[in-house]
Amino acid sequence: MSKYYLTAFGKAGEHLVNETLEATSDNEAKEIGMKKLEEKELLNHSSRIVKSSGGLVHFHP
């Protein structure tokens, strides 16, 4: 399992979500992250999912 970080931002740049995820692949991490954003009604906010090694998995401006 690898660590990923999910972050969502408000319009003023504040963190709305800043969580750690564990997943076996980039695709699984994206699925988990998008589900969490949907549950928190943050799909339309700026967000990103990155690997602990620094790779970008998802970015929504």
Side-chain angles (χ1 to χ4, degrees), residues 28-54:
E28 182 183 17
K30 186 173 180 179
E31 287 177 20
I32 294 168
M34 297 305 288
K35 185 180 260 189
K36 286 185 180 243
L37 290 173
E38 183 177 13
E39 289 170 359
K40 296 174 186 279
E41 298 181 1
L42 296 173
L43 286 175
N44 293 323
H45 285 76
S46 296
S47 60
R48 67 182 177 201
I49 301 170
V50 295
K51 293 181 188 183
S52 60
S53 63

Side-chain angles (χ1 to χ4, degrees), residues 1-4 21-30 32:
M1 286 252 186
S2 297
K3 281 191 179 182
Y4 295 83
L21 311 172
E22 287 195 7
T24 57
S25 68
D26 291 354
N27 287 336
E28 182 183 17
K30 186 173 180 179
I32 294 168

Side-chain angles (χ1 to χ4, degrees), residues 6-25:
L6 168 65
T7 310
F9 303 93
K11 293 186 188 243
E14 72 278 14
H15 288 156
L16 301 175
V17 173
N18 195 15
E19 297 183 14
T20 303
L21 311 172
E22 287 195 7
T24 57
S25 68

